[in-house]
C-alpha cells in the first residue's frame, strides 16, 4: 500500500491510499460521522481514538481500492470550527473530495462511503453527482431528525425498564413526554435563528447544522440514486433503527442490498454485551479494544468484489 497526505483546495487535508499494483483502480471516499472527528475517526485531545476510518481505508485498499479520507472542519490539520458547519458546508467539502478523486488519472470509478451522519452526505452525493457506488455504514434511509427520535425512544425504553423504584419513578414522571416537549422547544429556537450557533440554557448548540438537517429529505434523495447501494447495520447499534433499511429497495432506482450483522455496534466492532444507549460511552471503552467485526468486513468485501467485477460505471 502507498499512502500519502494530499491537500485539496481551501485547506482540505486528507490521506490518499493506493494499492501497490500499478494501473487504474476504483476509489472509495470515506465520509465521517458527526462531531469533531478527524480523517482517521479520532476526536480531539486524545478522546475517542477509534481509528475507524483509517482501519477501513487500509482494509479497502488491501482489496485493490484507492481510498481518500479527510479532516472535517476544526479537526486534524483543518482550520475552522466543526460546530459552526452546517450540512451544506459538510456537503461542499465532500463534493470537493469526490471531484478530487475523479480527477486522479489512476482512478476509474468512485464509491462514496458514509458512516453514521456520513450516510446522509453520501446519499446526497449519490443523488446529485456522477458517482458509481454508495455505501451506507451504521445509517441510511432516515434523516438526522428521524435518527435522533429513534435514539430518544431507545433511551426511554431503557429508563422505563430499570429495575425497582428507578423504572417506576421514570414511568410515573412521564419523562418521555417531558423530554419531548423540551426537545421540541429547543428545536424551535434553533429553527427560528439565522445564526450558525446559539446558546440554549448556557450550552452552545449547532443551530445551522440542526436547521439544515431538519430540512433535508433523505428518502427523496434516495429516489434520485441510480448507482448500486450497499447498507450495513449492527444489531447492537442503539443509534440507528435498522427496520428502515427494508425501505431501501423501494426508494433507489438501481440495485441495493442491506445486511444487519449480529453482535456488531455503531463503530463496526464486536459487541457481545446487550444493546444500550445509556451505557454506550462506558461500553465504548471496552469495545474500542476489539477488532472490526469479521462478518461486517466479509459483507463489505463481498459487495466490493462484486462491484469491481461488474465494471459498473455511472452514465
Amino acid at each position: 500500500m502507498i499512502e500519502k497526505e494530499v491537500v485539496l483546495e481551501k485547506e482540505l487535508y486528507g490521506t490518499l491510499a493506493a494499492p501497490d499494483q500499478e494501473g487504474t483502480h476504483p476509489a472509495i471516499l470515506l465520509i465521517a460521522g458527526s462531531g469533531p472527528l478527524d480523517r482517521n475517526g479520532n476526536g480531539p485531545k486524545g478522546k475517542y481514538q477509534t481509528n475507524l476510518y483509517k482501519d477501513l481505508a487500509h482494509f479497502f485498499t488491501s482489496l485493490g481500492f484507492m481510498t481518500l479520507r479527510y479532516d472535517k472542519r476544526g479537526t486534524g490539520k483543518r482550520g475552522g470550527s466543526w460546530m459552526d458547519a452546517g450540512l451544506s458546508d459538510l456537503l461542499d467539502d465532500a463534493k470537493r473530495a469526490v471531484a478530487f478523486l475523479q480527477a486522479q488519472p489512476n482512478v476509474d470509478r468512485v464509491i462514496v462511503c458514509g458512516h453514521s451522519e456520513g450516510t446522509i452526505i453520501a446519499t446526497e452525493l449519490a443523488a446529485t453527482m456522477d458517482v458509481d457506488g454508495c455505501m451506507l455504514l451504521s445509517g441510511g434511509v432516515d434523516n438526522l431528525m428521524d435518527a435522533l427520535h429513534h435514539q430518544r425512544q431507545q433511551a426511554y425504553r431503557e429508563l422505563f425498564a430499570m429495575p425497582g423504584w428507578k423504572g417506576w419513578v421514570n414511568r410515573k414522571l412521564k419523562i418521555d413526554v417531558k423530554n419531548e416537549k423540551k426537545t421540541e422547544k429547543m428545536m424551535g429556537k434553533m429553527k427560528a435563528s439565522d445564526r450558525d450557533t446559539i446558546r440554549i440554557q448556557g450550552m452552545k448548540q449547532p443551530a445551522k447544522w440542526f436547521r439544515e438537517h431538519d430540512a433535508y429529505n433523505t428518502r427523496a434523495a434516495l429516489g434520485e440514486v441510480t448507482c448500486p447501494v450497499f447498507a450495513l447495520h449492527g444489531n447492537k447499534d442503539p443509534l440507528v433503527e435498522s427496520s428502515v433499511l427494508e425501505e431501501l429497495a423501494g426508494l433507489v432506482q438501481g440495485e441495493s442490498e442491506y445486511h444487519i450483522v449480529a453482535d456488531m455496534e455503531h463503530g463496526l466492532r464486536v459487541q457481545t454485551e446487550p444493546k444500550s444507549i445509556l451505557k454506550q460511552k462506558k461500553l465504548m471503552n471496552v469495545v474500542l479494544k476489539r477488532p472490526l467485526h469479521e462478518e461486517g468486513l466479509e459483507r463489505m468485501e463481498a459487495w466490493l468484489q462484486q462491484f469491481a467485477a461488474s465494471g459498473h460505471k455511472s452514465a
Side-chain angles (χ1 to χ4, degrees), residues 4 23 25 50 81 89 139 169 181 219 279 301 310:
K4 64 178 181 179
H25 306 276
T50 75
S81 167
D89 301 308
V169 168
K181 289 181 179 178
R219 287 170 173 81
K279 298 178 181 178
E301 180 177 0
S310 71

Side-chain angles (χ1 to χ4, degrees), residues 86-107:
L87 176 60
S88 58
D89 301 308
L90 300 175
L91 283 168
D92 285 345
D93 289 345
K95 288 177 180 178
R96 298 208 317 268
V98 169
F100 175 86
L101 278 177
Q102 290 176 333
Q104 300 306 302
N106 54 343
V107 169

Side-chain angles (χ1 to χ4, degrees), residues 16-308:
L16 185 68
D20 292 326
Q21 300 86 352
E22 294 183 359
T24 60
H25 306 276
I28 300 175
L29 174 66
L30 287 157
I31 307 167
S34 61
L37 297 175
D38 66 15
R39 71 186 81 175
N40 293 324
N42 299 329
K45 300 179 180 179
K47 293 183 178 180
Y48 306 115
Q49 301 296 290
T50 75
N51 279 315
L52 175 59
Y53 309 132
K54 180 180 180 180
D55 290 345
L56 284 175
H58 290 179
F59 174 68
F60 293 151
T61 304
S62 75
L63 301 177
F65 291 77
M66 293 186 64
T67 60
L68 175 63
R69 59 192 195 271
Y70 59 93
D71 290 332
K72 294 175 65 175
R73 299 178 186 214
T75 75
K77 288 189 173 183
R78 184 79 185 277
S81 167
W82 67 271
M83 191 171 280
D84 291 344
L87 176 60
S88 58
D89 301 308
L90 300 175
L91 283 168
D92 285 345
D93 289 345
K95 288 177 180 178
R96 298 208 317 268
V98 169
F100 175 86
L101 278 177
Q102 290 176 333
Q104 300 306 302
N106 54 343
V107 169
D108 55 18
R109 290 175 286 169
V110 173
I111 295 171
V112 289
C113 176
H115 172 253
S116 195
E117 182 198 5
T119 62
I120 298 170
I121 297 167
T123 295
E124 178 63 10
L125 297 179
T128 58
M129 300 185 76
D130 290 329
V131 298
D132 307 294
C134 179
M135 299 177 71
L136 309 173
L137 309 180
S138 300
V141 179
D142 275 342
N143 75 355
L144 181 75
M145 297 303 132
D146 295 327
L148 292 177
H149 174 78
H150 291 311
Q151 290 169 25
R152 294 195 302 274
Q153 297 305 312
Q154 174 69 22
Y156 302 147
R157 287 191 292 269
E158 292 181 34
L159 288 166
F160 292 156
M162 283 182 168
W165 64 270
K166 289 184 178 180
W168 179 84
V169 168
N170 289 333
R171 294 190 297 271
K172 188 71 173 178
L173 293 178
K174 297 182 178 179
I175 58 172
D176 56 337
V177 176
K178 291 182 179 180
N179 192 64
E180 288 302 298
K181 289 181 179 178
K182 181 180 177 181
T183 299
E184 184 178 356
K185 184 177 180 181
M186 183 178 74
M187 281 302 305
K189 289 182 179 179
M190 287 192 283
K191 289 181 187 179
S193 171
D194 60 357
R195 298 172 59 186
D196 292 346
T197 61
I198 61 173
R199 289 196 174 272
I200 299 177
Q201 295 182 339
M203 294 288 291
K204 190 176 181 180
Q205 299 289 349
K208 179 182 180 182
W209 184 75
F210 273 112
R211 286 195 306 272
E212 293 183 346
H213 268 295
D214 180 68
Y216 187 73
N217 189 330
T218 315
R219 287 170 173 81
L222 283 168
E224 302 298 321
V225 174
T226 58
C227 67
V229 178
F230 169 89
L232 184 73
H233 279 193
N235 75 340
K236 294 297 178 67
D237 185 348
L239 303 184
V240 299
E241 175 55 56
S242 294
S243 65
V244 300
L245 295 183
E246 297 173 6
E247 301 176 40
L248 191 60
L251 292 170
V252 300
Q253 297 183 41
E255 299 177 359
S256 70
E257 66 177 72
Y258 73 88
H259 303 276
I260 302 171
V261 175
D263 291 333
M264 188 174 78
E265 49 81 60
H266 192 69
L268 310 181
R269 285 180 162 79
V270 176
Q271 179 178 315
T272 54
E273 298 84 354
K275 178 171 73 173
S276 173
I277 196 166
L278 299 181
K279 298 178 181 178
Q280 189 189 22
K281 288 185 178 180
K282 184 178 180 180
L283 283 168
M284 186 180 292
N285 294 327
V286 177
V287 170
L288 283 178
K289 299 175 183 177
R290 299 172 183 167
L292 296 181
H293 199 292
E294 185 175 346
E295 183 184 344
L297 295 176
E298 289 173 352
R299 295 290 189 182
M300 287 186 278
E301 180 177 0
W303 186 81
L304 287 169
Q305 287 179 339
Q306 181 181 356
F307 174 90

